[in-house]
Amino acid sequence: MTEHYDVIIVGSGAGGGTLAHRLAPSGKRVLILERGDWLPREAQNWDAEALFVDNRYVSPDKWFDDKGKPFQPQDRYFVGGATKFYGAALYRLRERDFGELKHHGGVSPAWPIGYDEMEPCGPQLPGV
C-alpha cells in the first residue's frame, strides 16, 4: 500500500461508523476497512424470524471455545457492522470483562480503566 492515511478505522459498525462520521469534516484522510459487503435490500431484512430463527445472512464462520469445541458465533459481516441487525440489547459488562483475556489467537490486554471506575455510571436499580 503506497497511499497515506491519517486514520485507519477497522469496521464500519456503531463504533467505527461514529468515529468516521466525526472525522469526516476534519480534513484528515480516513480509511475504513470493512470485512463485509453491502447488505442486499430484501423483504427478509425486516423479518425477525428470518433473521434470528432461520439465521439469514449469518456467516459460516466457526469459532472455538476454550476446550477446542467449535461453535457458530451468529456473526454477520456487512457495511454498517452488527448495527444492521441490532436488537436493542445492551449487556452490562462484568468486572472480569475489564481484565486481560487470553484466547486462541493471543492476549487481549486489560482495559486502561477498571470496572470500579465505570460501575457508578450504570443504572442505579435495585437488584442490578
Side-chain angles (χ1 to χ4, degrees):
M1 175 186 276
T2 59
E3 298 207 29
H4 169 81
Y5 295 93
D6 298 305
V7 179
I8 298 174
I9 300 170
V10 178
S12 61
T18 301
L19 179 59
H21 183 267
R22 177 71 176 182
L23 291 172
S26 72
K28 295 188 181 308
R29 290 181 45 90
V30 179
L31 172 67
I32 302 173
L33 300 177
E34 176 56 59
R35 180 178 185 169
D37 201 346
W38 295 97
L39 179 68
R41 289 186 177 260
E42 301 173 311
Q44 295 89 342
N45 292 12
W46 291 269
D47 181 343
E49 185 170 337
L51 294 174
F52 303 112
V53 175
D54 300 336
N55 293 322
R56 188 170 185 83
Y57 309 118
V58 170
S59 123
D61 290 0
K62 287 207 178 0
W63 291 6
F64 297 88
D65 68 14
D66 60 345
K67 295 177 179 61
K69 181 180 175 186
F71 67 95
Q72 210 296 322
Q74 298 294 302
D75 276 343
R76 296 166 172 93
Y77 303 115
F78 291 98
V79 173
T83 56
K84 291 287 190 177
F85 302 96
Y86 176 62
L90 295 172
Y91 300 104
R92 185 178 173 100
L93 294 173
R94 302 161 295 191
E95 189 170 354
R96 68 177 181 250
D97 294 326
F98 287 79
E100 179 181 275
L101 174 66
K102 294 179 183 167
H103 53 84
H104 180 72
V107 176
S108 292
W111 287 39
I113 58 173
Y115 179 86
D116 59 328
E117 295 175 71
M118 295 296 289
E119 192 273 334
C121 301
Q124 304 300 311
L125 302 173
V128 176

PDB file of all heavy atoms in Angstrom, residues 69-105:
ATOM      1  N   LYS A  69     -13.804 -26.868  21.182  1.00  0.00           N
ATOM      2  CA  LYS A  69     -15.082 -27.259  20.580  1.00  0.00           C
ATOM      3  C   LYS A  69     -15.585 -26.116  19.681  1.00  0.00           C
ATOM      4  O   LYS A  69     -15.679 -24.965  20.109  1.00  0.00           O
ATOM      5  CB  LYS A  69     -16.110 -27.550  21.675  1.00  0.00           C
ATOM      6  CG  LYS A  69     -17.452 -27.986  21.142  1.00  0.00           C
ATOM      7  CD  LYS A  69     -18.427 -28.268  22.268  1.00  0.00           C
ATOM      8  CE  LYS A  69     -19.793 -28.590  21.700  1.00  0.00           C
ATOM      9  NZ  LYS A  69     -20.797 -28.739  22.741  1.00  0.00           N
ATOM     10  N   PRO A  70     -15.923 -26.433  18.422  1.00  0.00           N
ATOM     11  CA  PRO A  70     -16.390 -25.377  17.519  1.00  0.00           C
ATOM     12  C   PRO A  70     -17.814 -24.917  17.856  1.00  0.00           C
ATOM     13  O   PRO A  70     -18.624 -25.686  18.347  1.00  0.00           O
ATOM     14  CB  PRO A  70     -16.349 -26.048  16.143  1.00  0.00           C
ATOM     15  CG  PRO A  70     -16.465 -27.502  16.420  1.00  0.00           C
ATOM     16  CD  PRO A  70     -15.852 -27.736  17.779  1.00  0.00           C
ATOM     17  N   PHE A  71     -18.075 -23.645  17.607  1.00  0.00           N
ATOM     18  CA  PHE A  71     -19.437 -23.111  17.728  1.00  0.00           C
ATOM     19  C   PHE A  71     -19.626 -22.019  16.684  1.00  0.00           C
ATOM     20  O   PHE A  71     -18.660 -21.482  16.140  1.00  0.00           O
ATOM     21  CB  PHE A  71     -19.724 -22.590  19.147  1.00  0.00           C
ATOM     22  CG  PHE A  71     -18.938 -21.375  19.541  1.00  0.00           C
ATOM     23  CD1 PHE A  71     -19.466 -20.101  19.384  1.00  0.00           C
ATOM     24  CD2 PHE A  71     -17.670 -21.501  20.102  1.00  0.00           C
ATOM     25  CE1 PHE A  71     -18.747 -18.970  19.759  1.00  0.00           C
ATOM     26  CE2 PHE A  71     -16.947 -20.381  20.481  1.00  0.00           C
ATOM     27  CZ  PHE A  71     -17.487 -19.118  20.305  1.00  0.00           C
ATOM     28  N   GLN A  72     -20.858 -21.714  16.374  1.00  0.00           N
ATOM     29  CA  GLN A  72     -21.201 -20.702  15.386  1.00  0.00           C
ATOM     30  C   GLN A  72     -21.536 -19.419  16.141  1.00  0.00           C
ATOM     31  O   GLN A  72     -22.469 -19.387  16.926  1.00  0.00           O
ATOM     32  CB  GLN A  72     -22.397 -21.194  14.567  1.00  0.00           C
ATOM     33  CG  GLN A  72     -22.441 -20.675  13.144  1.00  0.00           C
ATOM     34  CD  GLN A  72     -22.611 -19.178  13.051  1.00  0.00           C
ATOM     35  OE1 GLN A  72     -23.335 -18.569  13.814  1.00  0.00           O
ATOM     36  NE2 GLN A  72     -21.918 -18.573  12.126  1.00  0.00           N
ATOM     37  N   PRO A  73     -20.760 -18.344  15.934  1.00  0.00           N
ATOM     38  CA  PRO A  73     -20.925 -17.130  16.753  1.00  0.00           C
ATOM     39  C   PRO A  73     -22.092 -16.221  16.372  1.00  0.00           C
ATOM     40  O   PRO A  73     -22.272 -15.175  16.968  1.00  0.00           O
ATOM     41  CB  PRO A  73     -19.599 -16.408  16.542  1.00  0.00           C
ATOM     42  CG  PRO A  73     -19.192 -16.811  15.166  1.00  0.00           C
ATOM     43  CD  PRO A  73     -19.647 -18.244  15.008  1.00  0.00           C
ATOM     44  N   GLN A  74     -22.871 -16.581  15.366  1.00  0.00           N
ATOM     45  CA  GLN A  74     -24.005 -15.760  14.935  1.00  0.00           C
ATOM     46  C   GLN A  74     -23.567 -14.385  14.433  1.00  0.00           C
ATOM     47  O   GLN A  74     -24.275 -13.390  14.594  1.00  0.00           O
ATOM     48  CB  GLN A  74     -25.034 -15.607  16.067  1.00  0.00           C
ATOM     49  CG  GLN A  74     -25.649 -16.905  16.530  1.00  0.00           C
ATOM     50  CD  GLN A  74     -26.492 -17.556  15.457  1.00  0.00           C
ATOM     51  OE1 GLN A  74     -27.433 -16.948  14.963  1.00  0.00           O
ATOM     52  NE2 GLN A  74     -26.163 -18.766  15.077  1.00  0.00           N
ATOM     53  N   ASP A  75     -22.391 -14.309  13.842  1.00  0.00           N
ATOM     54  CA  ASP A  75     -21.903 -13.057  13.279  1.00  0.00           C
ATOM     55  C   ASP A  75     -22.417 -12.865  11.863  1.00  0.00           C
ATOM     56  O   ASP A  75     -22.611 -13.821  11.120  1.00  0.00           O
ATOM     57  CB  ASP A  75     -20.375 -13.019  13.247  1.00  0.00           C
ATOM     58  CG  ASP A  75     -19.784 -12.575  14.554  1.00  0.00           C
ATOM     59  OD1 ASP A  75     -20.511 -12.002  15.375  1.00  0.00           O
ATOM     60  OD2 ASP A  75     -18.580 -12.791  14.750  1.00  0.00           O
ATOM     61  N   ARG A  76     -22.605 -11.614  11.515  1.00  0.00           N
ATOM     62  CA  ARG A  76     -22.969 -11.230  10.156  1.00  0.00           C
ATOM     63  C   ARG A  76     -22.012 -10.116   9.775  1.00  0.00           C
ATOM     64  O   ARG A  76     -21.784  -9.198  10.550  1.00  0.00           O
ATOM     65  CB  ARG A  76     -24.418 -10.730  10.126  1.00  0.00           C
ATOM     66  CG  ARG A  76     -25.428 -11.802  10.492  1.00  0.00           C
ATOM     67  CD  ARG A  76     -26.789 -11.142  10.772  1.00  0.00           C
ATOM     68  NE  ARG A  76     -27.826 -12.118  10.936  1.00  0.00           N
ATOM     69  CZ  ARG A  76     -28.203 -12.615  12.114  1.00  0.00           C
ATOM     70  NH1 ARG A  76     -27.606 -12.203  13.229  1.00  0.00           N
ATOM     71  NH2 ARG A  76     -29.170 -13.494  12.196  1.00  0.00           N
ATOM     72  N   TYR A  77     -21.451 -10.174   8.589  1.00  0.00           N
ATOM     73  CA  TYR A  77     -20.450  -9.190   8.175  1.00  0.00           C
ATOM     74  C   TYR A  77     -20.982  -8.356   7.023  1.00  0.00           C
ATOM     75  O   TYR A  77     -21.093  -8.830   5.896  1.00  0.00           O
ATOM     76  CB  TYR A  77     -19.152  -9.894   7.767  1.00  0.00           C
ATOM     77  CG  TYR A  77     -18.583 -10.768   8.855  1.00  0.00           C
ATOM     78  CD1 TYR A  77     -18.502 -12.137   8.702  1.00  0.00           C
ATOM     79  CD2 TYR A  77     -18.142 -10.217  10.047  1.00  0.00           C
ATOM     80  CE1 TYR A  77     -17.976 -12.939   9.700  1.00  0.00           C
ATOM     81  CE2 TYR A  77     -17.620 -11.013  11.059  1.00  0.00           C
ATOM     82  CZ  TYR A  77     -17.541 -12.364  10.870  1.00  0.00           C
ATOM     83  OH  TYR A  77     -17.028 -13.158  11.860  1.00  0.00           O
ATOM     84  N   PHE A  78     -21.309  -7.106   7.315  1.00  0.00           N
ATOM     85  CA  PHE A  78     -21.820  -6.182   6.306  1.00  0.00           C
ATOM     86  C   PHE A  78     -21.356  -4.769   6.628  1.00  0.00           C
ATOM     87  O   PHE A  78     -21.004  -4.463   7.765  1.00  0.00           O
ATOM     88  CB  PHE A  78     -23.361  -6.196   6.283  1.00  0.00           C
ATOM     89  CG  PHE A  78     -23.922  -7.488   5.755  1.00  0.00           C
ATOM     90  CD1 PHE A  78     -24.338  -8.473   6.627  1.00  0.00           C
ATOM     91  CD2 PHE A  78     -24.008  -7.707   4.391  1.00  0.00           C
ATOM     92  CE1 PHE A  78     -24.839  -9.672   6.150  1.00  0.00           C
ATOM     93  CE2 PHE A  78     -24.507  -8.897   3.906  1.00  0.00           C
ATOM     94  CZ  PHE A  78     -24.924  -9.884   4.783  1.00  0.00           C
ATOM     95  N   VAL A  79     -21.368  -3.909   5.608  1.00  0.00           N
ATOM     96  CA  VAL A  79     -21.092  -2.498   5.830  1.00  0.00           C
ATOM     97  C   VAL A  79     -22.127  -1.999   6.840  1.00  0.00           C
ATOM     98  O   VAL A  79     -23.323  -2.203   6.656  1.00  0.00           O
ATOM     99  CB  VAL A  79     -21.175  -1.702   4.507  1.00  0.00           C
ATOM    100  CG1 VAL A  79     -21.049  -0.211   4.770  1.00  0.00           C
ATOM    101  CG2 VAL A  79     -20.112  -2.182   3.530  1.00  0.00           C
ATOM    102  N   GLY A  80     -21.666  -1.403   7.892  1.00  0.00           N
ATOM    103  CA  GLY A  80     -22.545  -0.976   8.975  1.00  0.00           C
ATOM    104  C   GLY A  80     -22.439  -1.897  10.173  1.00  0.00           C
ATOM    105  O   GLY A  80     -22.985  -1.620  11.232  1.00  0.00           O
ATOM    106  N   GLY A  81     -21.717  -2.997  10.009  1.00  0.00           N
ATOM    107  CA  GLY A  81     -21.458  -3.919  11.113  1.00  0.00           C
ATOM    108  C   GLY A  81     -22.720  -4.530  11.701  1.00  0.00           C
ATOM    109  O   GLY A  81     -23.765  -4.612  11.054  1.00  0.00           O
ATOM    110  N   ALA A  82     -22.604  -4.947  12.928  1.00  0.00           N
ATOM    111  CA  ALA A  82     -23.715  -5.605  13.616  1.00  0.00           C
ATOM    112  C   ALA A  82     -24.886  -4.654  13.853  1.00  0.00           C
ATOM    113  O   ALA A  82     -25.990  -5.097  14.150  1.00  0.00           O
ATOM    114  CB  ALA A  82     -23.237  -6.188  14.945  1.00  0.00           C
ATOM    115  N   THR A  83     -24.667  -3.356  13.684  1.00  0.00           N
ATOM    116  CA  THR A  83     -25.771  -2.411  13.862  1.00  0.00           C
ATOM    117  C   THR A  83     -26.868  -2.641  12.832  1.00  0.00           C
ATOM    118  O   THR A  83     -28.003  -2.234  13.043  1.00  0.00           O
ATOM    119  CB  THR A  83     -25.279  -0.953  13.784  1.00  0.00           C
ATOM    120  OG1 THR A  83     -24.596  -0.757  12.544  1.00  0.00           O
ATOM    121  CG2 THR A  83     -24.359  -0.624  14.933  1.00  0.00           C
ATOM    122  N   LYS A  84     -26.540  -3.295  11.723  1.00  0.00           N
ATOM    123  CA  LYS A  84     -27.561  -3.625  10.722  1.00  0.00           C
ATOM    124  C   LYS A  84     -28.604  -4.575  11.302  1.00  0.00           C
ATOM    125  O   LYS A  84     -29.714  -4.651  10.806  1.00  0.00           O
ATOM    126  CB  LYS A  84     -26.924  -4.285   9.492  1.00  0.00           C
ATOM    127  CG  LYS A  84     -26.074  -3.365   8.681  1.00  0.00           C
ATOM    128  CD  LYS A  84     -26.958  -2.409   7.917  1.00  0.00           C
ATOM    129  CE  LYS A  84     -26.140  -1.638   6.911  1.00  0.00           C
ATOM    130  NZ  LYS A  84     -26.948  -0.767   6.107  1.00  0.00           N
ATOM    131  N   PHE A  85     -28.239  -5.326  12.344  1.00  0.00           N
ATOM    132  CA  PHE A  85     -29.125  -6.321  12.928  1.00  0.00           C
ATOM    133  C   PHE A  85     -29.334  -6.068  14.423  1.00  0.00           C
ATOM    134  O   PHE A  85     -29.732  -6.954  15.148  1.00  0.00           O
ATOM    135  CB  PHE A  85     -28.538  -7.727  12.720  1.00  0.00           C
ATOM    136  CG  PHE A  85     -28.313  -8.030  11.271  1.00  0.00           C
ATOM    137  CD1 PHE A  85     -27.080  -7.846  10.704  1.00  0.00           C
ATOM    138  CD2 PHE A  85     -29.360  -8.470  10.483  1.00  0.00           C
ATOM    139  CE1 PHE A  85     -26.870  -8.114   9.355  1.00  0.00           C
ATOM    140  CE2 PHE A  85     -29.167  -8.733   9.129  1.00  0.00           C
ATOM    141  CZ  PHE A  85     -27.915  -8.559   8.566  1.00  0.00           C
ATOM    142  N   TYR A  86     -29.071  -4.865  14.849  1.00  0.00           N
ATOM    143  CA  TYR A  86     -29.127  -4.516  16.268  1.00  0.00           C
ATOM    144  C   TYR A  86     -30.523  -4.739  16.824  1.00  0.00           C
ATOM    145  O   TYR A  86     -31.508  -4.259  16.282  1.00  0.00           O
ATOM    146  CB  TYR A  86     -28.709  -3.062  16.433  1.00  0.00           C
ATOM    147  CG  TYR A  86     -28.810  -2.533  17.833  1.00  0.00           C
ATOM    148  CD1 TYR A  86     -28.052  -3.084  18.851  1.00  0.00           C
ATOM    149  CD2 TYR A  86     -29.660  -1.481  18.132  1.00  0.00           C
ATOM    150  CE1 TYR A  86     -28.136  -2.598  20.144  1.00  0.00           C
ATOM    151  CE2 TYR A  86     -29.744  -0.985  19.419  1.00  0.00           C
ATOM    152  CZ  TYR A  86     -28.990  -1.547  20.415  1.00  0.00           C
ATOM    153  OH  TYR A  86     -29.069  -1.069  21.686  1.00  0.00           O
ATOM    154  N   GLY A  87     -30.601  -5.474  17.916  1.00  0.00           N
ATOM    155  CA  GLY A  87     -31.891  -5.785  18.526  1.00  0.00           C
ATOM    156  C   GLY A  87     -32.116  -5.069  19.843  1.00  0.00           C
ATOM    157  O   GLY A  87     -32.909  -5.515  20.657  1.00  0.00           O
ATOM    158  N   ALA A  88     -31.432  -3.966  20.072  1.00  0.00           N
ATOM    159  CA  ALA A  88     -31.598  -3.149  21.275  1.00  0.00           C
ATOM    160  C   ALA A  88     -31.238  -3.892  22.555  1.00  0.00           C
ATOM    161  O   ALA A  88     -31.836  -3.691  23.589  1.00  0.00           O
ATOM    162  CB  ALA A  88     -33.013  -2.580  21.357  1.00  0.00           C
ATOM    163  N   ALA A  89     -30.252  -4.756  22.486  1.00  0.00           N
ATOM    164  CA  ALA A  89     -29.780  -5.469  23.679  1.00  0.00           C
ATOM    165  C   ALA A  89     -28.401  -4.946  24.043  1.00  0.00           C
ATOM    166  O   ALA A  89     -27.458  -5.088  23.282  1.00  0.00           O
ATOM    167  CB  ALA A  89     -29.709  -6.965  23.409  1.00  0.00           C
ATOM    168  N   LEU A  90     -28.312  -4.305  25.180  1.00  0.00           N
ATOM    169  CA  LEU A  90     -27.025  -3.798  25.676  1.00  0.00           C
ATOM    170  C   LEU A  90     -26.712  -4.510  26.987  1.00  0.00           C
ATOM    171  O   LEU A  90     -27.323  -4.240  28.007  1.00  0.00           O
ATOM    172  CB  LEU A  90     -27.089  -2.280  25.905  1.00  0.00           C
ATOM    173  CG  LEU A  90     -27.296  -1.444  24.650  1.00  0.00           C
ATOM    174  CD1 LEU A  90     -27.546   0.006  25.024  1.00  0.00           C
ATOM    175  CD2 LEU A  90     -26.095  -1.560  23.736  1.00  0.00           C
ATOM    176  N   TYR A  91     -25.784  -5.426  26.907  1.00  0.00           N
ATOM    177  CA  TYR A  91     -25.447  -6.216  28.085  1.00  0.00           C
ATOM    178  C   TYR A  91     -24.488  -5.447  28.979  1.00  0.00           C
ATOM    179  O   TYR A  91     -23.541  -4.825  28.513  1.00  0.00           O
ATOM    180  CB  TYR A  91     -24.822  -7.545  27.665  1.00  0.00           C
ATOM    181  CG  TYR A  91     -25.744  -8.359  26.809  1.00  0.00           C
ATOM    182  CD1 TYR A  91     -25.558  -8.453  25.437  1.00  0.00           C
ATOM    183  CD2 TYR A  91     -26.841  -8.992  27.379  1.00  0.00           C
ATOM    184  CE1 TYR A  91     -26.435  -9.188  24.658  1.00  0.00           C
ATOM    185  CE2 TYR A  91     -27.723  -9.722  26.597  1.00  0.00           C
ATOM    186  CZ  TYR A  91     -27.506  -9.820  25.244  1.00  0.00           C
ATOM    187  OH  TYR A  91     -28.371 -10.531  24.470  1.00  0.00           O
ATOM    188  N   ARG A  92     -24.732  -5.509  30.252  1.00  0.00           N
ATOM    189  CA  ARG A  92     -23.862  -4.849  31.218  1.00  0.00           C
ATOM    190  C   ARG A  92     -22.591  -5.670  31.365  1.00  0.00           C
ATOM    191  O   ARG A  92     -22.634  -6.884  31.544  1.00  0.00           O
ATOM    192  CB  ARG A  92     -24.569  -4.735  32.565  1.00  0.00           C
ATOM    193  CG  ARG A  92     -23.769  -3.967  33.581  1.00  0.00           C
ATOM    194  CD  ARG A  92     -24.562  -3.849  34.884  1.00  0.00           C
ATOM    195  NE  ARG A  92     -23.741  -3.250  35.903  1.00  0.00           N
ATOM    196  CZ  ARG A  92     -23.801  -1.977  36.247  1.00  0.00           C
ATOM    197  NH1 ARG A  92     -24.651  -1.178  35.654  1.00  0.00           N
ATOM    198  NH2 ARG A  92     -23.028  -1.498  37.187  1.00  0.00           N
ATOM    199  N   LEU A  93     -21.454  -5.006  31.282  1.00  0.00           N
ATOM    200  CA  LEU A  93     -20.176  -5.684  31.453  1.00  0.00           C
ATOM    201  C   LEU A  93     -19.993  -6.132  32.894  1.00  0.00           C
ATOM    202  O   LEU A  93     -20.504  -5.509  33.818  1.00  0.00           O
ATOM    203  CB  LEU A  93     -19.025  -4.767  31.040  1.00  0.00           C
ATOM    204  CG  LEU A  93     -18.979  -4.412  29.553  1.00  0.00           C
ATOM    205  CD1 LEU A  93     -17.900  -3.373  29.296  1.00  0.00           C
ATOM    206  CD2 LEU A  93     -18.742  -5.635  28.697  1.00  0.00           C
ATOM    207  N   ARG A  94     -19.246  -7.209  33.050  1.00  0.00           N
ATOM    208  CA  ARG A  94     -18.916  -7.717  34.383  1.00  0.00           C
ATOM    209  C   ARG A  94     -17.519  -7.253  34.758  1.00  0.00           C
ATOM    210  O   ARG A  94     -16.748  -6.821  33.899  1.00  0.00           O
ATOM    211  CB  ARG A  94     -18.963  -9.251  34.370  1.00  0.00           C
ATOM    212  CG  ARG A  94     -20.331  -9.791  33.950  1.00  0.00           C
ATOM    213  CD  ARG A  94     -20.207 -11.207  33.505  1.00  0.00           C
ATOM    214  NE  ARG A  94     -19.375 -11.240  32.300  1.00  0.00           N
ATOM    215  CZ  ARG A  94     -19.222 -12.292  31.520  1.00  0.00           C
ATOM    216  NH1 ARG A  94     -19.817 -13.422  31.812  1.00  0.00           N
ATOM    217  NH2 ARG A  94     -18.474 -12.244  30.445  1.00  0.00           N
ATOM    218  N   GLU A  95     -17.173  -7.351  36.017  1.00  0.00           N
ATOM    219  CA  GLU A  95     -15.859  -6.913  36.473  1.00  0.00           C
ATOM    220  C   GLU A  95     -14.750  -7.612  35.694  1.00  0.00           C
ATOM    221  O   GLU A  95     -13.787  -6.984  35.258  1.00  0.00           O
ATOM    222  CB  GLU A  95     -15.713  -7.170  37.971  1.00  0.00           C
ATOM    223  CG  GLU A  95     -14.463  -6.560  38.561  1.00  0.00           C
ATOM    224  CD  GLU A  95     -14.446  -6.600  40.067  1.00  0.00           C
ATOM    225  OE1 GLU A  95     -15.443  -6.997  40.688  1.00  0.00           O
ATOM    226  OE2 GLU A  95     -13.402  -6.226  40.633  1.00  0.00           O
ATOM    227  N   ARG A  96     -14.890  -8.920  35.463  1.00  0.00           N
ATOM    228  CA  ARG A  96     -13.831  -9.659  34.767  1.00  0.00           C
ATOM    229  C   ARG A  96     -13.711  -9.263  33.291  1.00  0.00           C
ATOM    230  O   ARG A  96     -12.685  -9.511  32.660  1.00  0.00           O
ATOM    231  CB  ARG A  96     -14.058 -11.155  34.907  1.00  0.00           C
ATOM    232  CG  ARG A  96     -15.274 -11.677  34.182  1.00  0.00           C
ATOM    233  CD  ARG A  96     -15.347 -13.205  34.346  1.00  0.00           C
ATOM    234  NE  ARG A  96     -16.487 -13.753  33.659  1.00  0.00           N
ATOM    235  CZ  ARG A  96     -17.549 -14.261  34.258  1.00  0.00           C
ATOM    236  NH1 ARG A  96     -17.612 -14.323  35.568  1.00  0.00           N
ATOM    237  NH2 ARG A  96     -18.542 -14.743  33.552  1.00  0.00           N
ATOM    238  N   ASP A  97     -14.721  -8.635  32.717  1.00  0.00           N
ATOM    239  CA  ASP A  97     -14.655  -8.219  31.321  1.00  0.00           C
ATOM    240  C   ASP A  97     -13.637  -7.097  31.092  1.00  0.00           C
ATOM    241  O   ASP A  97     -13.237  -6.849  29.958  1.00  0.00           O
ATOM    242  CB  ASP A  97     -16.027  -7.750  30.831  1.00  0.00           C
ATOM    243  CG  ASP A  97     -17.039  -8.876  30.783  1.00  0.00           C
ATOM    244  OD1 ASP A  97     -16.636 -10.026  30.497  1.00  0.00           O
ATOM    245  OD2 ASP A  97     -18.227  -8.615  31.040  1.00  0.00           O
ATOM    246  N   PHE A  98     -13.221  -6.444  32.150  1.00  0.00           N
ATOM    247  CA  PHE A  98     -12.257  -5.351  32.037  1.00  0.00           C
ATOM    248  C   PHE A  98     -10.809  -5.828  32.136  1.00  0.00           C
ATOM    249  O   PHE A  98      -9.884  -5.069  31.928  1.00  0.00           O
ATOM    250  CB  PHE A  98     -12.512  -4.294  33.123  1.00  0.00           C
ATOM    251  CG  PHE A  98     -13.737  -3.462  32.856  1.00  0.00           C
ATOM    252  CD1 PHE A  98     -14.997  -3.958  33.125  1.00  0.00           C
ATOM    253  CD2 PHE A  98     -13.620  -2.189  32.329  1.00  0.00           C
ATOM    254  CE1 PHE A  98     -16.131  -3.194  32.880  1.00  0.00           C
ATOM    255  CE2 PHE A  98     -14.744  -1.419  32.076  1.00  0.00           C
ATOM    256  CZ  PHE A  98     -16.002  -1.932  32.351  1.00  0.00           C
ATOM    257  N   GLY A  99     -10.608  -7.082  32.477  1.00  0.00           N
ATOM    258  CA  GLY A  99      -9.260  -7.613  32.673  1.00  0.00           C
ATOM    259  C   GLY A  99      -8.655  -8.193  31.406  1.00  0.00           C
ATOM    260  O   GLY A  99      -9.283  -8.257  30.351  1.00  0.00           O
ATOM    261  N   GLU A 100      -7.431  -8.628  31.527  1.00  0.00           N
ATOM    262  CA  GLU A 100      -6.734  -9.286  30.424  1.00  0.00           C
ATOM    263  C   GLU A 100      -7.467 -10.572  30.047  1.00  0.00           C
ATOM    264  O   GLU A 100      -7.978 -11.280  30.910  1.00  0.00           O
ATOM    265  CB  GLU A 100      -5.303  -9.610  30.863  1.00  0.00           C
ATOM    266  CG  GLU A 100      -4.476 -10.308  29.813  1.00  0.00           C
ATOM    267  CD  GLU A 100      -3.082 -10.624  30.311  1.00  0.00           C
ATOM    268  OE1 GLU A 100      -2.215  -9.733  30.213  1.00  0.00           O
ATOM    269  OE2 GLU A 100      -2.877 -11.748  30.817  1.00  0.00           O
ATOM    270  N   LEU A 101      -7.499 -10.867  28.755  1.00  0.00           N
ATOM    271  CA  LEU A 101      -8.179 -12.066  28.280  1.00  0.00           C
ATOM    272  C   LEU A 101      -7.226 -12.858  27.386  1.00  0.00           C
ATOM    273  O   LEU A 101      -6.761 -12.348  26.367  1.00  0.00           O
ATOM    274  CB  LEU A 101      -9.435 -11.695  27.490  1.00  0.00           C
ATOM    275  CG  LEU A 101     -10.170 -12.851  26.823  1.00  0.00           C
ATOM    276  CD1 LEU A 101     -10.755 -13.782  27.889  1.00  0.00           C
ATOM    277  CD2 LEU A 101     -11.242 -12.346  25.902  1.00  0.00           C
ATOM    278  N   LYS A 102      -6.930 -14.085  27.797  1.00  0.00           N
ATOM    279  CA  LYS A 102      -6.095 -14.965  26.988  1.00  0.00           C
ATOM    280  C   LYS A 102      -7.020 -15.807  26.121  1.00  0.00           C
ATOM    281  O   LYS A 102      -7.999 -16.355  26.598  1.00  0.00           O
ATOM    282  CB  LYS A 102      -5.245 -15.851  27.888  1.00  0.00           C
ATOM    283  CG  LYS A 102      -4.244 -15.049  28.682  1.00  0.00           C
ATOM    284  CD  LYS A 102      -3.417 -15.909  29.605  1.00  0.00           C
ATOM    285  CE  LYS A 102      -2.503 -14.973  30.393  1.00  0.00           C
ATOM    286  NZ  LYS A 102      -1.866 -15.591  31.508  1.00  0.00           N
ATOM    287  N   HIS A 103      -6.707 -15.882  24.828  1.00  0.00           N
ATOM    288  CA  HIS A 103      -7.539 -16.644  23.896  1.00  0.00           C
ATOM    289  C   HIS A 103      -6.656 -17.331  22.868  1.00  0.00           C
ATOM    290  O   HIS A 103      -5.429 -17.182  22.881  1.00  0.00           O
ATOM    291  CB  HIS A 103      -8.583 -15.738  23.237  1.00  0.00           C
ATOM    292  CG  HIS A 103      -8.000 -14.517  22.592  1.00  0.00           C
ATOM    293  ND1 HIS A 103      -7.489 -14.512  21.326  1.00  0.00           N
ATOM    294  CD2 HIS A 103      -7.847 -13.262  23.074  1.00  0.00           C
ATOM    295  CE1 HIS A 103      -7.041 -13.302  21.034  1.00  0.00           C
ATOM    296  NE2 HIS A 103      -7.252 -12.526  22.072  1.00  0.00           N
ATOM    297  N   HIS A 104      -7.280 -18.077  21.966  1.00  0.00           N
ATOM    298  CA  HIS A 104      -6.580 -18.888  20.970  1.00  0.00           C
ATOM    299  C   HIS A 104      -5.565 -18.066  20.167  1.00  0.00           C
ATOM    300  O   HIS A 104      -4.486 -18.538  19.858  1.00  0.00           O
ATOM    301  CB  HIS A 104      -7.595 -19.555  20.041  1.00  0.00           C
ATOM    302  CG  HIS A 104      -6.980 -20.399  18.980  1.00  0.00           C
ATOM    303  ND1 HIS A 104      -6.381 -21.611  19.256  1.00  0.00           N
ATOM    304  CD2 HIS A 104      -6.855 -20.212  17.637  1.00  0.00           C
ATOM    305  CE1 HIS A 104      -5.919 -22.136  18.133  1.00  0.00           C
ATOM    306  NE2 HIS A 104      -6.202 -21.312  17.142  1.00  0.00           N
ATOM    307  N   GLY A 105      -5.935 -16.834  19.829  1.00  0.00           N
ATOM    308  CA  GLY A 105      -5.078 -16.006  18.989  1.00  0.00           C
ATOM    309  C   GLY A 105      -4.055 -15.169  19.743  1.00  0.00           C
ATOM    310  O   GLY A 105      -3.295 -14.431  19.132  1.00  0.00           O
TER     311      GLY A 105
END
